Structure formats: structure tokens, C-alpha cells
Amino acid sequence: MRRPLIALFALVGFFGLQRTSAQEIASDTLLTVNHFLDLEGVGSPQLSPDGTQIIYARSRVNKMEDRWDSELWIMNADGSRNRFLTKGSSPQWSPDGTRIAYLAEGEPDGSQIFVRWMDSEGATSQITHVTESPNSMKWSPDGSAIAFVMLVPESETWNISMPTPPEGAKWTEAPKMVSKTHYRQDRRGFIEEGYTHIFVVPADGGTPRQLTKGSWNVGPRFSGLSFGANIDWVSDGTRIVFDGLKVDNPDDHYGQSAIYSVNVSTGSVTPITTDPGNWTEPTVSPDGRRIAFSGYEARYIEQTYHTSELFTINLDGSGMRNVSGDLDRDVGQIHWAGDSRGVYFTAGHEGTRNVHYASTDGRVRQITQGEHMLSLTSVAGNGLAAGTRSSFQLPNDVVSIDLNRSGELAQLTKVNDDILADKRLGDVEEIWYTSTDNERIQGWIVKPPSFDRTKQHPLILHIHGGPHGMYNVGFSYAYQNYAANGFVVLYTNPRGSTGYGTEFGNAIDNAYPSVDHEDLMAGVDSLLGRGYIDPARLYVTGCSGGGVLSSWAIGQTDRFAAAAVRCPVTNWISFAGTADIIQWGYQRFDGYFWDDPTRWLEHSPLMHVGKVKTPVLLMTGELDLRTPIAQTEEYYAALKTLGVPAVMLRFKDEYHGTSSKPSNFMRTQLYIMDWFNKYSGDEKAVSMRQEGMR
């Protein structure tokens, strides 16, 4: 499992701050929310086919429109001649390196496919003029066409015999008809009815031709929702392979996806995988003989979590083989080696991500080393690869990876050095500690730049979402901002997290929250044992799955002085039918709640609200469809009924989370720190010491 100033000032006044505000404490050498406006991001670096140039997306805050804007930049493969190219995103080189395709705003509206010639003239053409948004672009092997995926609207109507309105009458619009299980999606609102299919358009422009058709979807579906598709051309250009599910009533096949091919001339679709499973991300080998893909068998779909494994299969569907062996880590970002003898991919492990290689006979080895989060987005024929890398004190930058030299890395960009060069960042320390069942848990501590272990500091326990996610060693602006304001930040990967194997990730199956809460509290105990954490100033926060666990924690313990619960699920029964991920909601616990609601109620934070004594700040986007704001409202109403100090912040123009807009990211940081600073007295610590509360 993306304002009026008077409101901000009114809330600061309500908090009754009697000290300098959190951001005013920071000196010029510390990281404030103000610096966030100058932060830049990088992504999607793509090597030219000859390995000499890299195009990448570079994003920056549009301070006037309160959004992130994307540009394309180009540089030599050694990082020299780094320069702006054009506005857009998702660049893709043509096979001969003479052109790039990319997405940008165009006519008649929204995102369109553009092609730019990479010669001195730089001529650019808008290739599509469609009414829906194209995505998942892929050049044909000969560069004559571009395949992409797009929604094909298909409305269902209900005709009734309504009388004709009188001339000039203003009758209410007819109701929206809903007949599918999944009819809305976070960040999209109500989903336009229809199905996602593959199209091909000439690379010099023209009318897109639809290849796949029918009442089914190209692209795997998580709980019935679309999160993109994966397509690739066979080397002779006659077929395109893709993932999806070509069955009737796909809502009856929760979690399933298959690999297919479609004939580019006839549109006939042929299944490649035949065994049911969650099969995704097909990638064709350079010699055109095999497909690599990731996934797992259908028998594991009923589990709450299972690692994705790496497979290869012949184009005719024969010879399917698991080539990732006993790796037991999620496989992603698949790229064939130039000789078709093996596959490069990334895998997350204990908070890090590195590049691995699996030969077609199943021998796996790790290529890159390092405590970092490394992506693999492009591999050239000469063995040079490109990706992005982030670590504790370094935001994402573009790197090259020499696959011929044991994964040697070279950093090519330094897009945030201008704002971070003179900033004192907090040191980050990795910790391991023991929880219940003698389980070893990994976490990290971010310390204030002026950290003094002889003094006691306030602690923020920050809980990740998912619930199957992985906190990692990448740079966190939020944590460094907390640290700059004097907080120690603890973030951990409790049971249920990815990066530690199937058994660890599946430990919360049919019981969430459960042992993950025990792991989090053991982490707090571990830090308290060091002597530099003030037990009177323990705070907890998290969004989504972190909102679930932070609202759960304050119903299990009084140890926290205050909580900031963000975008939570508080009632599993009402959540199942109101969130956009309906299938996932009804899969949380064995059986349906109308047959036996015991587990559904037992694991709902709302059913433990009567034990809450902790002051609670609730923060949720008003448009949230993943953890609908009604979940927050239920919890808030109960807290107010019980007389627990509580404030609810309803974020404008936000779907799931409270930070997709730059202004709302800054608000989130400031509200949380002001709320925690409000509850920094020592009466609670005295009571805890006397009663020995856990």
C-alpha cells in the first residue's frame, strides 16, 4: 500500500507559540523549508545508442504555479557540455541515435509525443494529436514508428424515457453511471470508462493505429487500477510484447497479469506465459530469441507480499525459467546485456539498491557496490549504463555505470550543490536492534548538525507507508530539515518492509498492524537506552501506512508527547468500500467482515481510540482517494468526543499525501514541527518514569 496565508497565520496563533518559530531558529548554514524552493530533481537518464551522450529529465519548482516543471538536458557521457535542450519528459533515443521522442504539452490538449532531430538544425515535430494521454513509448527497431499505450474511452449508457425539458429550462445533469468495481483512482478522480490499448504512429507523424482491442487492459493492474504498461518490440519489428490481462471480468482475477505479443500487421494477440501469475515488465533480448520479465506464481498472490523474481522465456512461450535463483529480493529495471547472455537489473537490499546481473543459466552476481540508492535506466551497446544515485547527504544525481569494469560509477551532475554546498547537514547513523521473536531490525538515525550526545534531544519516529515499502539510505530533505531544527529522527524498516525477503515482508499477513508496531517501539527503546533522547519529547508521525501505524501506536502506548497522523486508514471496514483500491481493501484479512468482523475491528486504530491520551494533529488531502479523508474525519470525531487535544488539517488540492505541491510540502514540515514544539513539557516524562509505561 501526489492557500490563503491567513489560514497559516491563524493556525500559528492557535498553537500559541511562545518561542521563536522553528524555521527562525535555523542559521544561514542550516537547511530550512525556504531552500526547498530551489531544490532540483533528475531522472530518466538515457544513453545514446553509441554511448556518447546522455539525455535526462531535470525538474525544478515553478514558484509561480506551485508545481514541478520538467526540462530535458543533454550532456556528453563523461558529464561535459551539460546544457538545456527543451521542455519535456520521458526521453527516448531512436535506435540510430538521430532523434529523440519525448512527452510535452501539445495540441489539442495535454501530453503529446514529440520527436526532435539531434542534428544542428534541431527540427521538432508534434507526432500525436490525441485526446487521451499517451505513455510507455517505444521506438520500432528500424526507427520508422513509435508504439505507445493509451486509453480507449468506452462509455456505458442507460437510456430512460425522460420528458423533453421546456425551452430554456435548467435541469440537473444526469447522474454518473458506475458499473465497474474500480471507478475512481487517486490523482485522477473518477476514471473515464474504457480500456488501455497499444497504438503505433509513424515517427514522422500521422494517425495512430490501434493494435490491441477489446474489453481488457494492456498493462498490469494493482487492485484494478492502472499504473502504466510495459511494452517492447521484437527485433524484427513484426511483434510487440506487453504485459496485461486479456480475460473477461478482470476484477475477478485480483493481482494477476500475463505476458503477450501482438502482431503489428494483423493485431492478433498471442499469450506467451500460460501459467497464472503476476508477470510484468517484459523486455526482449537483442538477438530477438528471449523475453526477460519479473513476477511470481499465482499461488503467492493471496499473500500480502512476495518478492518479484526474474524469469526468461522463449518468444514462443517455451522454456520459462527462473534466473534469479535464491536472491529473494525484488527485481526491477530489467535490461538485457548486449550479447543476450544475461540480464542486468536492480534489487533493493537492507535500505540500499544496486545493480545485479543474472546469466541466462541462472548465475547471479552483484555488479555495483555501495551504500546508496542506485537506479538503472539505460544500457548502451558498449557496456556503459546510466542511472541516478542518492545517498544520505546527496540528493539524486545522474551517474554513469561502467558494466565492463565491475560497475565503476562516475557522478555526472551536481544539480543541488549550489544550495547544499554551504549547509551543515545532519550525520546519519545506521543501527540494528532486536525486537520481539528475537527479530533483527534495521534503522537509521539522523542527528542535528549541532548534535551533542551529552545532552537530551527530542525524537521524531517517522514511519513508512506501503505497508510494503523500504526506507533507505537516500537523501531526505524532510529529515534533514527536522534535524536542522534540533530533532533527532529515527526511521526503521519493521517487519512488513521490502528489502529483507518474502518471509520478513509477509510477516504482517492477515495481521496489520501487529509485529511491525512492536519493531517500531523496540527501535524507540534502543535509542532511549543511549541516553541522549529526552523521554518527555518523543514524537511520532507517518503518512499512509505510516498514518495507520502512528494512529495505532498512540492507541497502544502513552509514551509519545504528540503525534502527527497523516493520511491514515483508521477503520478497515469503511476503508474497504470507499478507497480506490477496493480489491486490496477486501483482501486485508481472511474472509469478509460481514461474515466475521473480528480481525477487521481488532486491527483498526479507531477501535483503540478510547485509550488515546496523546495530542493528535491529523493531516490529509481533501481529494485523497487512497486513504479517503473520511478515515481522518472518523478518527478526529472520536478524539474530540473523548476530549483528546486534536486538530485536523484538510489540505487543499492534494490527493494522497500532503506534499505533492511545493507549498504543501513546506506547510507539512512547518505544521509538524510547530505541533511537536507545542508539546515539549516534562510532566509526561515524570509520569512515564513513575509508571514505567511502554
Side-chain angles (χ1 to χ4, degrees):
M1 306 222 278
R2 244 182 87 46
R3 314 318 178 253
L5 286 176
I6 189 172
L8 175 59
F9 294 147
L11 193 52
V12 171
F14 171 78
F15 286 163
L17 297 182
Q18 299 177 3
R19 60 181 64 80
T20 305
S21 71
Q23 287 303 315
E24 289 173 347
I25 293 173
S27 72
D28 291 340
T29 62
L30 298 180
L31 197 64
T32 72
V33 294
N34 299 15
H35 298 122
F36 183 75
L37 292 171
D38 296 318
L39 190 72
E40 295 187 50
V42 299
S44 305
Q46 298 292 314
L47 275 158
S48 59
D50 62 5
T52 62
Q53 297 184 93
I54 296 175
I55 291 178
Y56 66 99
R58 186 165 175 169
S59 59
R60 64 182 75 245
V61 174
N62 182 326
K63 300 174 186 178
M64 301 303 294
E65 301 293 333
D66 195 16
R67 67 175 187 235
W68 287 89
D69 285 347
S70 179
E71 304 169 345
L72 297 183
W73 285 56
I74 187 169
M75 59 185 168
N76 293 337
D78 62 1
S80 62
R81 297 198 69 217
N82 187 22
R83 59 209 185 274
F84 170 81
L85 185 65
T86 188
K87 292 184 177 180
S89 63
S90 305
Q92 294 284 332
W93 288 92
S94 63
D96 62 3
T98 61
R99 293 157 291 167
I100 60 164
Y102 62 96
L103 297 176
E105 293 294 309
E107 299 293 338
D109 187 32
S111 182
Q112 302 288 342
I113 298 175
F114 288 75
V115 167
R116 184 188 191 278
W117 285 86
M118 299 305 291
D119 53 20
S120 58
E121 180 185 8
T124 301
S125 302
Q126 181 177 330
I127 301 304
T128 62
H129 296 78
V130 292
T131 56
E132 304 296 330
S133 297
N135 62 75
S136 306
M137 295 181 300
K138 209 74 171 183
W139 286 90
S140 64
D142 64 2
S144 66
I146 299 172
F148 63 93
V149 171
M150 186 174 66
L151 176 72
V152 179
E154 185 176 307
S155 312
E156 191 173 6
T157 59
W158 188 343
N159 296 318
I160 55 176
S161 300
M162 283 286 290
T164 303
E167 185 176 350
K170 297 181 180 179
W171 286 16
T172 302
E173 184 180 347
K176 178 181 288 290
M177 179 179 173
V178 175
S179 60
K180 294 181 180 178
T181 302
H182 298 93
Y183 57 92
R184 53 185 188 161
Q185 183 168 349
D186 196 66
R187 305 197 184 282
R188 289 176 58 185
F190 280 95
I191 303 172
E192 183 177 359
E193 291 194 37
Y195 297 92
T196 303
H197 285 293
I198 298 174
F199 292 75
V200 172
V201 64
D204 54 0
T207 302
R209 178 167 58 93
Q210 184 178 342
L211 293 186
T212 59
K213 297 178 174 66
S215 301
W216 55 278
N217 289 294
V218 170
R221 299 265 154 163
F222 167 68
S223 193
L225 303 182
S226 173
F227 291 92
N230 302 278
I231 64 176
D232 198 11
W233 291 77
V234 175
S235 55
D236 63 7
T238 61
R239 286 179 289 169
I240 296 173
V241 300
F242 63 93
D243 48 17
L245 192 61
K246 191 177 184 297
V247 297
D248 295 329
N249 302 316
D251 283 342
D252 296 337
H253 300 266
Y254 172 69
Q256 290 191 33
S257 181
I259 309 298
Y260 303 87
S261 71
V262 58
N263 187 296
V264 176
S265 297
T266 66
S268 63
V269 174
T270 303
I272 294 176
T273 56
T274 54
D275 294 335
N278 184 313
W279 312 123
T280 65
E281 204 177 349
T283 305
V284 180
S285 61
D287 63 11
R289 297 172 54 196
R290 297 185 184 93
I291 301 168
F293 60 98
S294 64
Y296 47 86
E297 299 173 17
R299 61 193 173 108
Y300 299 122
I301 288 175
E302 293 303 316
Q303 295 181 349
T304 186
Y305 171 74
H306 192 279
T307 54
S308 291
E309 300 165 298
L310 180 64
F311 295 81
T312 61
I313 194 170
N314 295 328
L315 279 177
D316 62 2
S318 65
M320 180 170 165
R321 179 175 186 174
N322 182 325
V323 296
S324 54
D326 58 359
L327 180 63
D328 198 22
R329 295 293 185 268
D330 286 312
V331 167
Q333 300 180 311
I334 298 170
H335 298 267
W336 278 93
D339 60 8
S340 298
R341 294 180 179 178
V343 180
Y344 296 102
F345 61 94
T346 58
H349 172 68
E350 296 181 356
T352 66
R353 187 171 62 216
N354 275 286
V355 176
H356 298 248
Y357 174 84
S359 63
T360 53
D361 59 4
R363 290 172 294 167
V364 179
R365 70 179 189 273
Q366 185 170 328
I367 300 296
T368 63
Q369 310 290 329
E371 297 292 308
H372 50 220
M373 292 296 290
L374 183 65
S375 73
L376 180 67
T377 57
S378 178
V379 176
N382 62 358
L384 190 66
T388 61
R389 178 179 61 178
S390 176
S391 56
F392 289 131
Q393 296 190 340
L394 294 173
N396 254 351
D397 268 307
V398 179
V399 295
S400 65
I401 309 164
D402 192 336
L403 300 174
N404 299 319
R405 295 187 178 182
S406 302
E408 182 179 299
L409 299 176
Q411 183 174 332
L412 304 181
T413 63
K414 298 180 179 180
V415 299
N416 289 300
D417 273 16
D418 50 351
I419 62 171
L420 296 181
D422 62 345
K423 300 299 181 291
R424 292 188 296 132
L425 299 179
D427 289 335
V428 184
E429 177 187 350
E430 177 186 349
I431 62 171
W432 286 84
Y433 57 90
T434 302
S435 182
T436 55
D437 305 319
N438 207 35
E439 190 73 56
R440 294 283 291 165
I441 306 298
Q442 184 184 29
W444 296 268
I445 310 166
V446 186
K447 301 172 184 177
S450 58
F451 177 74
D452 183 346
R453 68 173 303 107
T454 67
K455 298 179 180 179
Q456 291 197 320
H457 304 265
L459 172 70
I460 296 176
L461 170 64
H462 208 289
I463 308 173
H464 74 60
H468 305 295
M470 181 184 77
Y471 270 154
N472 56 65
V473 301
F475 179 81
S476 170
Y477 198 102
Y479 300 167
Q480 287 292 342
N481 182 223
Y482 292 142
N485 285 277
F487 293 94
V488 172
V489 182
L490 170 65
Y491 58 105
T492 80
N493 283 329
R495 276 170 282 186
S497 301
T498 62
Y500 304 85
T502 294
E503 182 178 354
F504 189 93
N506 202 46
I508 60 173
D509 187 30
N510 203 38
Y512 169 58
S514 56
V515 294
D516 41 359
H517 167 76
E518 297 169 3
D519 297 347
L520 294 164
M521 294 306 104
V524 174
D525 291 339
S526 176
L527 257 65
L528 285 171
R530 296 183 172 210
Y532 56 72
I533 298 299
D534 185 352
R537 292 184 291 166
L538 302 179
Y539 307 105
V540 62
T541 189
C543 176
S544 194
V548 174
L549 277 161
S550 54
S551 59
W552 175 267
I554 57 178
Q556 311 299 315
T557 175
D558 289 339
R559 74 189 313 171
F560 295 104
V565 176
R566 294 144 52 208
C567 37
V569 176
T570 61
N571 181 345
W572 288 114
I573 291 178
S574 59
F575 164 82
T578 57
D580 64 342
I581 47 175
I582 293 173
Q583 286 178 322
W584 190 88
Y586 280 106
Q587 294 283 333
R588 282 310 81 226
F589 307 102
D590 289 344
Y592 296 120
F593 57 75
W594 48 80
D595 294 324
D596 182 1
T598 304
R599 283 189 179 271
W600 297 77
L601 296 173
E602 176 187 345
H603 293 279
S604 291
L606 184 63
M607 304 311 293
H608 301 268
V609 72
K611 297 176 285 184
V612 175
K613 302 294 188 295
T614 306
V616 184
L617 174 63
L618 290 155
M619 310 166 73
T620 301
E622 288 194 323
L623 303 177
D624 196 328
L625 296 176
R626 187 62 39 81
T627 57
I629 197 167
Q631 293 291 306
T632 295
E633 292 169 337
E634 284 190 65
Y635 201 70
Y636 173 76
L639 292 171
K640 299 303 283 189
T641 299
L642 294 168
V644 177
V647 171
M648 175 172 57
L649 297 179
R650 307 167 64 93
F651 278 68
K652 301 290 185 182
D653 299 327
E654 284 286 357
Y655 281 99
H656 189 48
T658 60
S659 303
S660 71
K661 294 182 176 296
S663 65
N664 280 341
F665 171 85
M666 295 185 290
R667 289 188 179 99
T668 297
Q669 292 293 108
L670 292 169
Y671 285 137
I672 288 175
M673 289 187 288
D674 279 352
W675 182 254
F676 289 168
N677 283 331
K678 177 179 172 65
Y679 295 96
S680 57
D682 61 0
E683 294 181 4
K684 190 175 186 64
V686 173
S687 173
M688 287 171 59
R689 293 190 190 102
Q690 290 175 345
E691 300 180 22
M693 289 185 179
R694 164 87 182 202

